Amino acid sequence: MLSFDPDNVSLPVGHYIDGQHVQAQGTAFAVKRPSDGKVFATLHEADAALVDRAVQVAHRRVKESGWASCPPRERGRVLRRWADLIEQDLLLAQLESLGSTRPISDVVQHEIPFTAEAIRFYAECADKYSGDVFPTRDSSLGMLVSEPYGVIAAITPWNFPLSMASWKCGPALAAGNAVVLKPSELTPFSTVRMAELAIQAGLPAGVLNIIQGGGAVTGSSLVKHPLVRKVSFTGSTLTGARIMSDAAQHGMKPVTLELGGKSPQLVFDDAGDLDVLAQRIMRGFTANGGQACVAGTRLIVQQGIAAALTDRLVALCREVQPGVTWHEQSRYAPLIDERQGCKVASVVAAAKAQGAEVLVGGERFGDTEAGWFWQPTLLSHVNSDNPAVQQEIFGPVLTVQTFNDEEEGLALAAHDTYGLCAGVHTLSLPRALRAMRAIEAGTVWINRYGRSGDFIIPTGGFLGSGIGKDLGRQAFQACQRQKSVLIDF
């Protein structure tokens, strides 16, 4: 049985610096369980002094321990042992489920294996990519030498705490860097346990440190620290812009930013089995309660199948039942907290005020007063200026727009602000490739929606959806800087 008692889980409370738990005296903040809104811990955020301590430790330990200079395959061996421990640790799964929006069955079956495999992928990258030798005159040798940055700051969101941490830590550590990671203050615990397991696997103490707190104090101090050489962030577009500005003004640090999205699902009338298609679209906007930057929340469907597809989606939405994340049978995620619930409610209300029709859902589940579970919601009669079409809602809300021909569909799929992902559904290969070329997005899925376990495929957005790539060899190479060398004989 995967179900567990939420009041009987051991919490790794505090910060994790130099292989030790550290209690701080900064501003206190409460941590609530999304499933029932209950406060289950109180933490103290890291102030500038504690952030400085964590970064100084990382800067010193990555050199003293030899992590940056050891044979790359030794780093790979440590990371592989870490991945094994992640898969075996039941407490890690419970911490992730207890404090986040992820049901325990989803964590065990998907999140934990995905996190472990991401670490293994970068373990294999450690000795696979290097510099280059350039053709020069016979009496000289030109080279490009890759070396780690030193200390990389990582800031991760609350919607996928473990996998987002693996995306940041895996490539950075494999490339020989140290990491100071700030998880979301809403989901602080599983990342600390993940760091404990890294030390057990053989990672030198101090090479991976976890600091707790919000963005205004802890995150800002981390980004601005002079010994931080690179910043990797996943979160909102607004916060990403602030981080980019701070990084530029405090050392001209490179940044990797995976930011918001408002992704279209463009469905042509030759997309195939409508039942299969409806299930695919349903997962695309309701997975994790719609709280994913890649959520496919704009359905743009050709007129000929619009009514039939919409009917199927309405039926699927009505079947959804909420359940607390620590029950094995639960499949549908709560919203992270009341603030997020109010945001979803306000956007839906604004959409209705501008003419949107609620086909199904449109409100909170009435029998879950303690936690914020939002009904899967379909909104029709929306134009491109409607708030539900324009804004990233971060909830299970799908807008429905129809089109007649390919040109009109592609025009509706465009977005002025975001360009993270898109789904194209058609059995015509030429049409699919034309759509792929035309849509301005960093990832385009064809006849599927959502990431796979193919870690070699990078992810990252265009426009206001970000800069740089997570996953793939690109993420590993972005954790190293290149030094040009010319030697005369």
Side-chain angles (χ1 to χ4, degrees):
M1 287 288 293
L2 296 178
S3 299
F4 63 96
D5 181 355
D7 296 318
N8 193 32
V9 177
S10 177
L11 303 177
V13 176
H15 314 274
Y16 194 69
I17 300 173
D18 208 10
Q20 300 292 325
H21 292 277
V22 175
Q23 302 298 324
Q25 299 302 315
T27 302
F29 61 94
V31 186
K32 297 182 179 181
R33 302 191 303 220
S35 289
D36 61 5
K38 180 180 178 180
V39 174
F40 70 109
T42 299
L43 297 179
H44 296 266
E45 77 172 354
D47 59 12
L50 190 62
V51 171
D52 176 65
R53 175 181 168 184
V55 175
Q56 292 282 358
V57 164
H59 177 72
R60 185 171 65 252
R61 295 300 190 204
V62 77
K63 295 180 178 180
E64 293 175 351
S65 67
W67 181 256
S69 57
C70 74
R73 288 199 66 78
E74 175 56 30
R75 292 198 293 270
R77 279 191 286 271
V78 171
L79 294 181
R80 286 193 292 273
R81 287 196 293 268
W82 187 23
D84 291 343
L85 292 176
I86 287 171
E87 281 190 325
Q88 297 162 9
D89 195 72
L90 180 59
L91 176 59
L92 182 64
Q94 292 181 346
L95 288 170
E96 180 81 344
S97 178
L98 173 69
S100 79
T101 58
R102 312 301 306 281
I104 184 63
S105 59
D106 190 40
V107 171
V108 170
Q109 295 169 16
H110 301 289
E111 193 73 4
I112 294 291
F114 188 92
T115 299
E117 278 303 299
I119 299 295
R120 291 191 183 102
F121 176 86
Y122 286 109
E124 290 302 321
C125 287
D127 66 342
K128 302 299 188 297
Y129 302 101
S130 59
D132 208 345
V133 177
F134 302 121
T136 60
R137 60 189 184 277
D138 288 346
S139 59
S140 69
L141 179 65
M143 296 187 296
L144 189 67
V145 177
S146 298
E147 60 184 30
Y149 278 100
V151 179
I152 291 180
I155 302 175
T156 54
W158 48 260
N159 53 345
F160 299 96
L162 284 179
S163 61
M164 293 295 100
S166 72
W167 289 17
K168 310 300 185 187
C169 296
L173 295 173
N177 298 281
V179 176
V180 179
L181 186 148
K182 189 198 86 65
S184 169
E185 65 274 22
L186 302 179
T187 54
F189 296 115
S190 59
T191 312
V192 175
R193 180 58 182 165
M194 189 176 175
E196 291 177 344
L197 296 175
I199 302 302
Q200 291 182 29
L203 185 72
V207 173
L208 173 59
N209 303 288
I210 311 296
I211 52 174
Q212 309 287 6
V217 175
T218 309
S220 179
S221 299
L222 179 59
V223 170
K224 295 176 181 177
H225 197 287
L227 290 179
V228 167
R229 306 301 191 199
K230 181 183 187 295
V231 179
S232 183
F233 168 77
T234 296
S236 73
T237 297
L238 181 61
T239 303
R242 294 195 192 111
I243 287 173
M244 189 174 182
S245 176
D246 285 345
Q249 296 179 45
H250 294 82
M252 294 299 292
K253 304 164 189 179
V255 295
T256 297
L257 304 173
E258 193 205 23
L259 308 177
K262 191 64 184 176
S263 301
Q265 299 216 49
L266 182 59
V267 181
F268 293 95
D269 58 11
D270 61 350
D273 189 312
L274 291 184
D275 291 321
V276 172
L277 185 60
Q279 292 280 358
R280 187 189 305 157
I281 292 167
M282 182 76 178
R283 288 191 299 271
F285 85 96
T286 61
N288 201 32
Q291 298 162 113
C293 55
V294 300
T297 55
R298 291 192 293 136
L299 175 60
I300 300 164
V301 55
Q302 200 158 14
Q303 189 68 50
I305 61 169
L309 180 59
T310 302
D311 288 345
R312 285 166 169 80
L313 286 168
V314 167
L316 290 174
C317 289
R318 287 179 173 149
E319 293 175 0
V320 169
Q321 295 296 324
V324 294
T325 56
W326 46 83
H327 285 176
E328 183 176 6
Q329 294 77 18
S330 297
R331 295 294 182 270
Y332 187 67
L335 300 181
I336 187 66
D337 60 10
E338 182 178 4
R339 179 182 176 184
Q340 185 62 28
C342 290
K343 177 187 176 183
V344 174
S346 68
V347 176
V348 170
K352 291 165 61 178
Q354 293 194 21
E357 177 185 344
V358 178
L359 299 180
V360 67
E363 59 187 18
R364 185 179 178 182
F365 276 100
D367 56 351
T368 55
E369 291 302 319
W372 271 87
F373 289 83
W374 192 266
Q375 296 176 3
T377 300
L378 266 62
L379 300 176
S380 67
H381 295 86
V382 293
N383 58 32
S384 294
D385 295 328
N386 191 284
V389 175
Q390 285 295 313
Q391 298 179 32
E392 183 182 38
I393 303 174
F394 238 58
V397 179
L398 181 72
T399 60
V400 182
Q401 296 172 281
T402 61
F403 66 93
N404 291 307
D405 57 32
E406 185 175 318
E407 182 179 2
E408 183 183 4
L410 291 171
L412 289 172
H415 198 283
D416 292 336
T417 302
Y418 298 112
L420 187 58
C421 301
V424 176
H425 309 271
T426 174
L427 299 183
S428 167
L429 181 58
R431 175 178 281 171
L433 296 181
R434 286 195 302 270
M436 179 273 291
R437 292 289 190 189
I439 292 173
E440 196 170 7
T443 296
V444 178
W445 291 301
I446 298 174
N447 295 328
R448 64 170 292 124
Y449 198 88
R451 297 187 179 105
S452 67
D454 300 299
F455 296 97
I456 193 62
I457 302 175
T459 184
F462 294 172
L463 305 174
S465 291
I467 294 174
K469 297 291 186 182
D470 282 317
L471 297 180
R473 67 176 183 271
Q474 288 81 2
F476 175 82
Q477 292 168 325
C479 290
Q480 295 181 318
R481 56 188 180 183
Q482 282 69 48
K483 182 178 291 181
S484 296
V485 180
L486 183 62
I487 305 171
D488 279 351
F489 302 159

